[in-house]
Amino acid sequence: MATINATAGKDEQVEPVDTRPSVRVMAAQPTDYQVTITSFGEVKPLEKTMLAAQVAGEIVSWNPNFVAGGLIKQGDILFTIEKDTYEAALLQAQANLSQAKAQLIEEEALAKVAEREAERLSDRKVSDLYLRKPQVMSAKASVQSATAALRLAQRDLENCEVRAPYDALVISRDLGAGQFVHTGDVVAELSSIETAEVVFPIAGFDSAFVPDEIENLSAVVTTQGRRSISRSATIVRDLGVVDNATRMSHLVVRIDDPYSLNSADPALKFGSYVEVSFAGKKLTNVFEVPQDLVSNRIIWLLDEQQQLQPRQVRVLREEGEMFLIDSGLNEDELLVMTPPEYPQKGMEVKVIEDDAKVAQR
């Protein structure tokens, strides 16, 4: 036994093992956050026109750009109707006006003669008919009627040249040279390219963050796809109703010169499905916390005894992968960024030093 005890090895000194789970922490810091509201909608023209002929006649010519997909400037002649009949009608109206004016001059002269003769007669023998007042009034009415007819003849002649009412995209055209059109015949469909609009919905969770005054609020319209196009826009109005099916309200954003007829911006075509984004309300003193750290509105904090403590918070809004928290969390409290798999209240943990130093800063 003495030999065995003499040759036996000495008991090894076993160091205690730290079984506390390791965590990373970060000091909570409040910030001011600008909410961005995003929605989607379709680009549509502000104005559409079913173009019709105002006079009847044969089509003698039409603008080469007056085809489906063509872009037309305001005031450009789209097509011309044969003018001979309307030029003759204008000459006839001018002749009728001249004749009516001559008749008026004659009646006024006769009335003056009758007035001088009436000075030698007694008042009983002088009547309005003797003074030719009805004839003068009739002559004046004829002049007015002839003037109106002349204006109509001039208008009809001008309407032989049909012009674009605004900068327009030709959607369809249904006429050709030699074709006879009647008054009121629809010959084309035009869409205004001076202004486009996008009607887009506001989801219920976004409605609380829409500014109280939206008129003239700036927005950005962006197309989705391989070739993305962004254009500045302006919110112009609220449609003023809540959709019965979706319970969403709708706003309208307006884009000037969508087809870039007067600028070098990329064209934004009608029918494009676009994303609309604009600045919502600004939130003050909120905390940005990753979503995976919040479970059932509970987050884990580290107290002064290096123990885990649960805290219930109020999530104000979801932004991407982050939650915005406005209550339940205080400045400089240590937020556990890598909680254990099964955290417990009062569980002791070990803080990774590097992160602890960062947190303390």
Side-chain angles (χ1 to χ4, degrees), residues 3-295:
T3 303
I4 293 174
N5 291 332
T7 58
K10 297 181 179 180
D11 294 339
E12 296 181 359
Q13 297 294 328
V14 179
E15 296 182 0
V17 178
D18 189 351
T19 59
R20 294 177 301 170
S22 299
V23 297
R24 298 176 184 272
V25 295
M26 181 181 70
Q29 295 295 331
T31 185
D32 294 340
Y33 191 87
Q34 175 64 64
V35 174
T36 300
I37 298 177
T38 302
S39 187
F40 297 88
E42 182 182 348
V43 180
K44 295 182 179 180
L46 173 64
E47 191 173 2
K48 286 185 177 181
T49 299
M50 304 301 294
L51 192 67
Q54 293 181 277
V55 294
E58 180 184 349
I59 304 296
V60 294
S61 65
W62 52 272
N63 192 320
N65 291 330
F66 187 44
V67 292
L71 298 180
I72 302 293
K73 294 281 288 184
Q74 181 180 9
D76 286 354
I77 297 176
L78 302 180
F79 62 92
T80 304
I81 296 174
E82 191 271 325
K83 299 181 180 180
D84 291 349
T85 302
Y86 301 99
E87 288 175 343
L90 178 61
L91 292 175
Q92 183 65 48
Q94 291 172 341
N96 292 339
L97 178 59
S98 297
Q99 186 176 1
K101 287 181 177 180
Q103 184 67 30
L104 175 61
I105 293 172
E106 182 179 352
E107 290 297 339
E108 288 177 339
L110 293 174
K112 289 181 180 180
V113 172
E115 186 178 355
R116 288 196 298 269
E117 292 178 351
E119 293 176 354
R120 298 192 297 269
L121 301 175
S122 63
D123 294 340
R124 294 181 179 180
K125 295 182 179 180
V126 178
S127 64
D128 289 344
L129 185 60
Y130 182 85
L131 295 176
R132 302 190 67 83
K133 289 183 179 180
Q135 291 87 337
V136 173
M137 292 178 62
S138 177
K140 288 182 178 179
S142 296
V143 171
Q144 291 178 341
S145 177
T147 302
L150 177 61
R151 290 179 179 177
L152 290 176
Q154 290 174 332
R155 184 203 65 180
D156 289 344
L157 181 60
E158 292 173 356
N159 287 338
C160 288
E161 292 182 346
V162 180
R163 298 177 180 270
Y166 42 67
D167 293 344
L169 170 69
V170 181
I171 304 299
S172 63
R173 175 182 64 86
D174 186 19
L175 59 78
Q179 178 179 337
F180 189 91
V181 294
H182 297 86
T183 303
D185 284 351
V186 176
V187 296
E189 180 181 354
L190 305 179
S191 291
S192 171
I193 58 174
E194 294 178 354
T195 307
E197 286 190 341
V198 179
V199 179
F200 60 95
I202 297 296
F205 56 82
D206 278 333
S207 59
F209 303 98
V210 176
D212 297 330
E213 296 293 332
I214 62 168
E215 190 172 352
N216 297 324
L217 191 64
S218 297
V220 176
V221 174
T222 307
T223 61
Q224 304 296 312
R226 185 177 62 181
R227 186 170 177 265
S228 178
I229 296 174
S230 293
R231 296 287 299 270
S232 58
T234 305
I235 297 177
V236 292
R237 66 185 184 277
D238 186 334
L239 290 187
V241 296
V242 176
D243 188 89
N244 291 331
T246 63
R247 310 310 302 169
M248 294 183 182
S249 59
H250 291 76
L251 302 182
V252 181
V253 68
R254 186 170 292 179
I255 307 107
D256 293 330
D257 192 20
Y259 278 74
S260 303
L261 201 62
N262 303 307
S263 68
D265 295 330
L268 186 62
K269 297 181 179 180
F270 296 142
S272 300
Y273 192 67
V274 296
E275 178 186 82
V276 182
S277 60
F278 63 96
K281 292 182 177 179
K282 190 171 184 179
L283 307 179
T284 59
N285 293 323
V286 295
F287 298 88
E288 293 186 65
V289 177
Q291 291 190 26
D292 56 1
L293 299 185
V294 183
S295 178

